Amino acid sequence: MQRRPLLLLGGTAVVAAAAAIVLGPRGPGAPAETSSAPLMFQNLAGRLTGAARIEVRQGGKSVAVAKRDAEAWVLPDMQDYPVRPEKVRELLVGLTELRLTERRTNDAAMLDRLGLEDPAAANSTAALLRVLDSKGDPIAELVVGRRRMRTQGGVPESVYVRRPAETQAWLAEGRLPLDADPQLWIDRDIANIARERVLKVEATRLGEAPLVLTRGEGPDGVLTVTSPAQTPPLEEGSADEVGRAFEFLTLTDVRKEAAAPGQPLGETRFTLTDNLAITASGYQDGEAIWVRLAAAGDDEAARLNARWRGWAYKVAEWKIKALLPRLQDMRKAEAPPAEAPAAPAR
């Protein structure tokens, strides 16, 4: 079989006029939206080489990203799990290219119209972005508000911004991909391996008899339960779902392997094509189940282990049933008992 590649944002005339000043099109004296507009941060690119931390705060949400070495950025609140490098790169480049194209209101009472109110206020839509050096001193910081919708092709993206200590608002040209949700900063994909590659599954759950599924011979072979030899009626497609264990496998939470809580639950060995084997080990922590993954084989196994080593993952419940299968989870649901006919009315 062919190997498939794997796979952290009416009223009165006076009010109407004020809104037009804040939100309306450029006035005759406003600067044009051109690349000659001044940069919001002068000479920023060189200073960003000393960036050590990025913070985004929006209402009740916040995320902090820290630099751990020359290349790696991580999430300290997720036990230093790596963030997507392109996410950091896109944000920092966006900061260096951000240009102030239009001066807008400097009335604090009007800032909420642009999404530039206090980012710490409850239900605020404004975001506070800070880039700090290794001493915690700010390299760049700004409040980011609403994005202005583009009405035609070829027009640069723009967003309302202001400096945290000022009320002067600006329309800025540029793209700032801000997210206060840590999940949007990481690559949530764990693996994506086609079910056709799974040849055999050997599951051992503590306190239960071993469960073995084997794929039949030929291109149309399917996974079936081969041990135990006698099984109760199984749900149609349940064996195939076990084969899909590594298809579009994503995490819902992650911890360092050494810090993952729980008691051993059992393990499953998946034998796949192309000399690849994967062992999934489960750990029970209350209602939560954490999974550790280890690969054996050639170059593909080495790439997988480089990603998985040292981490324990929490995944969707239906994926747990595929990674750590049990015969009782594959059993066909019993039909509900038929209702007794109603007694005739007297």
Side-chain angles (χ1 to χ4, degrees), residues 53 62 65 73 98 139 144 156 222 254 287 292 295-296 298 319 342:
R53 185 178 176 92
S62 66
V65 182
W73 289 80
L98 195 64
I139 296 173
V144 183
V222 297
V254 62
E287 296 183 358
R292 304 173 188 177
D298 302 324
K319 281 294 189 182

Side-chain angles (χ1 to χ4, degrees), residues 53-57 128-132 136-142 164:
R53 185 178 176 92
I54 300 170
E55 297 177 350
V56 182
R57 301 177 184 273
L128 174 63
L129 169 63
R130 304 178 75 218
V131 181
L132 311 174
D137 296 327
I139 296 173
E141 52 184 349
L142 73 161

Side-chain angles (χ1 to χ4, degrees), residues 108-282:
M110 303 291 285
L111 290 176
D112 61 337
R113 294 174 177 269
L114 302 178
L116 292 174
E117 68 275 19
D118 182 359
N123 302 318
S124 174
T125 61
L128 174 63
L129 169 63
R130 304 178 75 218
V131 181
L132 311 174
D133 63 18
S134 59
K135 297 179 180 180
D137 296 327
I139 296 173
E141 52 184 349
L142 73 161
V143 178
V144 183
R146 288 171 37 199
R147 289 164 174 79
R148 197 172 73 168
M149 300 298 295
R150 292 181 290 182
T151 58
Q152 56 185 339
V155 177
E157 292 190 28
S158 54
V159 63
Y160 295 105
V161 298
R162 68 177 175 87
R163 303 182 194 278
E166 301 175 0
T167 59
Q168 178 62 60
W170 296 84
L171 180 65
E173 178 184 291
R175 185 169 185 273
L176 288 176
L178 292 186
D179 292 299
D181 183 352
Q183 294 276 349
L184 299 178
W185 284 81
I186 64 175
D187 185 354
R188 297 180 59 242
D189 294 333
I190 301 173
N192 187 17
I193 304 175
R195 68 184 187 278
E196 292 87 358
R197 292 188 57 190
V198 178
L199 302 177
K200 190 174 184 179
V201 181
E202 301 165 278
T204 305
R205 295 284 290 262
L206 296 182
E208 300 184 22
L211 173 66
V212 180
L213 293 85
T214 307
R215 186 173 298 280
E217 297 292 337
D220 298 325
V222 297
L223 278 178
T224 57
V225 175
T226 54
S227 181
Q230 302 295 324
T231 65
L234 303 181
E235 195 70 45
E236 184 178 358
S238 59
D240 190 56
E241 286 302 315
V242 175
R244 294 176 182 267
F246 298 102
E247 281 192 343
F248 304 104
L249 180 62
T250 60
L251 63 88
T252 60
D253 199 358
V254 62
R255 293 184 181 181
K256 286 187 175 179
E257 184 177 7
Q263 298 299 316
L265 188 62
E267 68 177 32
T268 306
R269 179 180 172 83
F270 294 80
T271 303
L272 299 94
T273 60
D274 303 319
N275 193 35
L276 177 66
I278 299 175
T279 299
S281 304

Side-chain angles (χ1 to χ4, degrees), residues 32-45:
E33 291 184 14
T34 68
S35 59
S36 62
L39 291 169
M40 183 168 189
F41 300 102
Q42 300 293 327
N43 305 315
L44 180 60

Side-chain angles (χ1 to χ4, degrees), residues 290-313:
W290 295 85
V291 178
R292 304 173 188 177
L293 301 172
D298 302 324
D299 292 345
E300 184 180 13
R303 291 193 299 270
L304 290 171
N305 284 330
R307 182 179 183 85
W308 297 340
R309 187 178 293 113
W311 298 103
Y313 303 101

